[in-house]
Amino acid sequence: MHPFDFLPNTPIITGDDTSYYDGVDQHYLDICRKKTILEIATSSGIMASRILLHNPQSLTMVEPFCIPTEVTLNDNVKHISDDIHHWLDQPRPAQVVIAFGLLYHLHSPLHLIELIVNFCDPETIILDNVTAPHPLAFNTETNNVAGQRQTLPGWKHAPFNMPTPFFIINQSLNFMGYNLVKSHYLKTNWFPKSNGWIAEWTKNLN
């Protein structure tokens, strides 16, 4: 790990999958109250169901692989079946943007973050990622299977991912006008979140 990734006293979310969802809910999702929310990579909607407990003004879920069955769709809760890189090609205002379980499947996560900042202009951004290895390396990504990156039919894609270090994401968001509010290590015994981090940034209004 890069020595400037986290402070030594960074708190840890640990335990099983329920502990993970409870920890994220406790520390991060209260910001969703009465806000317009964009959740990217919703999957079945387990985290979306937690978001809705905080009574957001609206929730838009972008998930091309499956229907978010854990939530009920209505005028204020929408599901978009699309690749976020294609859908987020025009202004899509949202006060809070959340993306969990996605960055480590991408070869260009900083590009997605640029799209979020430029087209959503959110007040708050909440992301997670795996702890990036050092030295950095591209890894093979088997696209369009469960648990991997999803692309549109016929879209020619590069079959790699590149986990981006926390300090690079943090410096990039700082450069784009966002300040780190808080972060946690993810050290659960639930494999998808066994080696990573979660963090929240807010837009600098000065």
Side-chain angles (χ1 to χ4, degrees), residues 28-35 37 54 96 124 126 200:
Y28 291 92
L29 298 187
D30 59 332
I31 194 69
C32 296
R33 181 172 176 77
K34 296 184 178 179
K35 299 290 181 64
I37 313 299
H54 295 270
V96 180
T124 301
I126 307 174
E200 175 183 323

Side-chain angles (χ1 to χ4, degrees), residues 36-197:
T36 56
I37 313 299
L38 171 61
E39 187 194 12
I40 303 168
T42 300
S43 189
S44 64
I46 296 175
M47 192 64 74
S49 68
R50 297 291 190 117
I51 292 170
L52 290 172
L53 292 176
H54 295 270
N55 298 312
Q57 179 180 328
S58 65
L59 170 62
T60 299
M61 301 169 287
V62 179
E63 170 54 63
F65 178 67
C66 61
I67 297 173
T69 55
E70 299 289 331
V71 298
T72 300
L73 303 180
N74 56 50
D75 289 344
N76 295 319
V77 181
K78 303 180 185 301
H79 168 231
I80 307 296
S81 182
D82 204 347
D83 183 331
I84 190 63
H85 298 89
H86 294 266
W87 183 78
L88 200 52
D89 63 350
Q90 59 183 288
R92 307 282 191 183
Q95 291 171 294
V96 180
V97 174
I98 297 171
F100 296 146
L102 176 61
L103 293 186
Y104 45 86
H105 292 298
L106 305 179
H107 52 69
S108 306
L110 294 180
H111 175 60
L112 176 59
I113 293 171
E114 288 180 351
L115 294 178
I116 291 169
V117 171
N118 284 281
F119 287 127
C120 299
D121 190 28
E123 299 170 3
T124 301
I125 299 173
I126 307 174
L127 306 171
D128 77 356
N129 202 2
V130 298
T131 301
H134 294 278
L136 295 177
F138 283 101
N139 308 299
T140 300
E141 178 82 6
T142 305
N143 293 277
N144 300 317
V145 299
Q148 304 282 7
R149 179 189 172 197
Q150 306 300 313
T151 62
L152 296 180
W155 181 256
K156 296 177 181 179
H157 54 268
F160 298 99
N161 65 52
M162 167 65 88
T164 302
F166 175 83
F167 80 99
I168 293 294
I169 292 175
N170 187 43
Q171 288 180 20
S172 297
L173 281 165
N174 287 166
F175 187 81
M176 290 185 276
Y178 286 80
N179 299 320
L180 181 65
V181 175
K182 55 188 169 184
S183 62
H184 284 74
Y185 288 118
L186 297 177
K187 299 291 184 183
T188 74
N189 55 27
W190 179 43
F191 176 73
K193 306 296 177 182
S194 60
N195 178 34
W197 53 262

